[in-house]
Amino acid sequence: DTGVSQDPRHKITKRGQNVTFRCDPISEHNRLYWYRQTLGQGPEFLTYFQNEAQLEKSRLLSDRFSAERPKGSFSTLEIQRTEQGDSAMYLCASSLGTGQADTQYFGPGTRLTVL
Amino acid sequence: AQTVTQSQPEMSVQEAETVTLSCTYDTSESDYYLFWYKQPPSRQMILVIRQEAYKQQNATENRFSVNFQKAAKSFSLKISDSQLGDAAMYFCALTTYGGSQGNLIFGKGTKLSVKP
């Protein structure tokens, strides 16, 4: 079990550029979550997948954000036309999906800095 | 709407002593779960302990235990015999199974320092 991995770990970009992050969940996990964490705050839910289906999106997920999980394995989160307010740690978590409130296992996060 | 409040931005404890971190929450759901997560500096978040709301018995995991007061909507974490490795941000989190599909709602966290 290699745990949840995220790539890249750090991303610095200029305002207006597009960025894409990748999350590889634990291999047998069906559920995958994206959260955003800003400095001094707890993580905030962005979106959630059950296998390849995106089942819920937060109001935080503006139309500049899009997430995919094409084959029910890894997931990508894309931010178009980045803004300085997008600077944050983006966390991915996965869980087995076999019952209620499965334990979510978190990746190390991708820290985005928008200049 | 569900909310989680951690009223202690920072706490400090002497090594080998006991410390209690506070958390209150609000939800109208009857079926929910509570968690404490630990986030060490520059490292990933890990689960410390979880509590199912329907269970009256407080959860324990080695040196970590909770005081779950359902009527008061309180969920505190007690760390006994504190170790240097316990220094981290601690987040209290709530999930319900209404329409939320298990998304975690986090508090703002408590930064715990452990003094040698």
Side-chain angles (χ1 to χ4, degrees), chain A residues 4 9 31 33 35 37 40-45 48 50 55-56 91 99-108, chain B residues 31 33 35 37 39 42-47 50 89 91 95 97 99-109:
Chain A
V4 179
R9 295 291 304 278
R31 291 181 183 159
Y33 302 81
Y35 294 86
Q37 185 178 19
Q41 302 293 320
E44 296 173 294
F45 167 74
Y48 148 73
Q50 174 79 35
L55 296 185
E56 189 172 349
L91 298 172
Q100 293 187 348
D102 304 328
T103 296
Q104 294 185 26
Y105 295 85
F106 282 81
Chain B
D31 186 14
Y33 303 79
F35 305 84
Y37 276 88
Q39 188 176 41
S42 301
R43 293 181 61 188
Q44 61 206 79
M45 198 168 310
I46 58 174
L47 179 68
R50 59 180 279 160
M89 285 292 292
F91 292 97
T95 190
Y97 254 78
S100 70
Q101 299 296 323
N103 311 326
L104 291 167
I105 299 158
F106 286 88
K108 290 187 176 183

Side-chain angles (χ1 to χ4, degrees), chain A residues 55-69:
Chain A
L55 296 185
E56 189 172 349
K57 294 192 289 186
S58 162
R59 288 173 293 177
L60 292 175
L61 210 67
S62 75
D63 56 6
R64 296 185 297 106
F65 288 69
S66 62
E68 293 183 343
R69 194 182 183 197

